[in-house]
Amino acid sequence: MEKHIGNCSCGDIEFYFNNDPINSIFCYCTECQSLTGSDKWFGLWVPRDNFKFTKGTPLSYMRVGDSGKKVNYHFCGTCSTVLCAEVTAGNFYSVSATSLKDNKFTPKMSIYASSAPSWAIFPSDVPKFDALPPGMGG
Ligand SMILES: [Zn+2]
Ligand SMILES: [Zn+2]
């Protein structure tokens, strides 16, 4: 079983998840833009049971997602790095790929492309969806 380790910028918060993510996405929704100060969030979707915080206690911020269910963001109260978003509708964490110590994952799809700013950059070799791919809920 492979263990992937990550932390926030200042090191107060550490986490790990087991096994490879079930999906890896560039998300261009407006929430991810304000969260990252960028055109997108690079999220690794990890089933809730595979993810654990191992050091520190992150702060949380909740919003209601498109599904009507909660999305809980967990971030460091010291350096404000957002480590993951708990997507309760799908029972997974969208873990920030950039907070991994050694990220070997690459995006498999671009989602919420219709919300992207005009200057957004899309990888040319992965499928692009206006919102979510068919059958993936919302
Ligand atoms: Zn921190
Ligand atoms: Zn998003």
Side-chain angles (χ1 to χ4, degrees):
M1 187 152 65
E2 202 174 351
K3 197 168 166 176
H4 306 281
I5 298 165
N7 57 267
C8 64
S9 296
C10 76
D12 278 4
I13 313 283
E14 292 178 2
F15 67 85
Y16 75 86
F17 63 85
N18 287 322
N19 302 327
D20 283 356
I22 50 176
N23 199 1
S24 51
I25 51 95
F26 275 177
C27 183
Y28 295 81
C29 79
T30 50
E31 286 82 9
C32 286
Q33 289 174 47
S34 53
L35 214 71
T36 58
S38 178
D39 56 346
K40 59 186 168 293
W41 159 267
F42 185 6
L44 309 173
W45 291 3
V46 175
R48 192 143 52 180
D49 290 345
N50 291 359
F51 180 93
K52 241 184 193 62
F53 285 110
T54 50
K55 185 189 166 195
T57 306
L59 298 181
S60 295
Y61 157 70
M62 190 275 287
R63 75 172 174 89
V64 176
D66 285 353
S67 61
K69 298 207 172 135
K70 290 175 182 175
V71 180
N72 298 309
Y73 295 90
H74 299 297
F75 61 97
C76 175
T78 305
C79 71
S80 84
T81 303
V82 180
L83 300 146
C84 63
E86 180 186 3
V87 183
T88 62
N91 206 28
F92 65 83
Y93 286 95
S94 181
V95 178
S96 166
T98 49
S99 63
L100 287 186
K101 275 202 195 319
D102 183 21
N103 177 40
K104 59 167 186 166
F105 304 108
T106 53
K108 291 193 174 126
M109 59 178 73
S110 298
I111 64 173
Y112 289 100
S114 62
S115 313
S118 59
W119 45 266
I121 306 213
F122 293 94
S124 55
D125 54 344
V126 304
K128 189 171 152 186
F129 298 95
D130 279 350
L132 288 166
M136 214 175 255

